[in-house]
Amino acid sequence: MKPRRIAIVASGSMGDVRPYGVLAAAFARAGWDAGLVANDGYAATAEALGVPWFIPGLPSLDHVMAWQRRQNAQEAGIFDAGLWDAWFAAYP
C-alpha cells in the first residue's frame, strides 16, 4: 500500500500557523507522511511538533506582519502602534 501523504499549508503569524502544525503532527501520529508548509521562520515550530517543514513561495513573516499593521491602521482604535509592535515582539 502506498503511504498516505498530506501537506498542511498555512500562512501568517504563529496563531495562524501553529494549529495547522498541530494538525500535521496528528496526521503523522496516525501513520500519514505529513508535513507543514509555512512562511519562512517556522522550521523550529515544525521541528518541535515532529513534522517536516517546507517553505514555498509564501510571503515572509515580515511581509505578513506589515500587511496586518496596514489592516489595523484602517480600523482605528483596535490597537495603537506601540501595542501592535509589542504583540509581534512576543512571538518568534
Side-chain angles (χ1 to χ4, degrees):
M1 178 190 324
K2 285 185 167 180
R4 298 177 293 180
R5 293 187 175 164
I6 187 167
I8 306 288
V9 180
S11 177
S13 67
M14 181 65 76
D16 298 316
V17 175
R18 184 168 170 69
Y20 290 103
V22 170
L23 181 62
F27 272 101
R29 284 192 307 275
W32 288 63
D33 180 9
L36 177 64
V37 180
N39 306 81
D40 187 21
Y42 289 106
T45 300
E47 182 179 340
L49 293 168
V51 294
W53 168 74
F54 307 95
I55 181 168
L58 293 174
S60 72
L61 187 55
D62 289 338
H63 289 156
V64 172
M65 290 176 8
W67 176 84
Q68 288 176 329
R69 284 190 184 100
R70 285 192 306 275
Q71 293 302 310
N72 180 61
Q74 294 172 7
E75 299 177 28
I78 295 175
F79 289 108
D80 66 16
L83 180 59
W84 194 249
D85 289 339
W87 173 267
F88 279 112
Y91 295 94

